[in-house]
Amino acid sequence: QKAASGFVNASLALDQARAVKDIQEQELMRKASHLNDMAMAEITHFFKEGVTETDLAEQLKKIYRDLGADGLSFGSNAASGHHWPDDTRLKPGDCILVDIGCTWEGYCSDMTRTFFYKNVTQHQQEVYHTVLKANEEAEKAVTPGIPLSSLDQIARGIITDKGYGSAFTHRLGHFIGLEDHEFGDVSSASADRAVPGNIFSIEPGVYLENDMGVRVEDLVLVTDHGHEILNHFSKELTVID
């Protein structure tokens, strides 16, 4: 029997069907996010002066294996937004942006938390709390029928009001399931409304070049009467000693 790897999705109807997760899929994604919460807690133990992003990425792979996850759901120089690990070494005063995800029985997780190493300035605290508020207020608004563009507007408005609008350089979120980025867009350009079974990220960010970058990301499930946040790792401002 020939493998199905050559098949290509050419149907919008299939994308729309995949965007609504059934009960079994929802449970698999809860499990994937639970593993991701545990991995985030573990990786913070390795934040030591001089450690490189590459070192941490390798350690994360081991953590996922030990937790029993299938693997990574996608591959930080925080001011770059979405950045591939390199040999940058951790030093006091750094902002640590950790964007991680694993898979469980084929379904993906995705979460971002931002930490500060040894100390945090007043400016860093202001940026962090601005991004956190944008994340939390957008999540509170998730309910069946809300335009996805409205969620982006809520978060972007909070960040813009604080003077960082130009530094929020990407959409608020993406849909997720069997792939880390599936069809579906939580952005100002989206014409869709949230429906029960949708699972998407809420991930506002502020990226200040040669200064710092902050992003706070959760996965949110749209329920019949509201929403469920799949991530439970703390979002309080945390300074790693």
Side-chain angles (χ1 to χ4, degrees), residues 15 46 53 55 65 115 125 128 130 134 142 156 160 166 210:
D15 284 324
F46 296 90
E53 296 175 358
D55 293 337
R65 286 196 302 270
F115 306 93
Q125 291 181 56
Y128 185 86
T130 297
V142 175
R156 202 169 298 277
T160 299
S166 63
N210 300 319

Side-chain angles (χ1 to χ4, degrees), residues 8-23:
V8 177
N9 175 16
S11 170
L12 180 59
L14 181 57
D15 284 324
Q16 292 171 334
R18 282 181 61 176
V20 179
K21 271 56 181 180
D22 63 25
I23 298 301

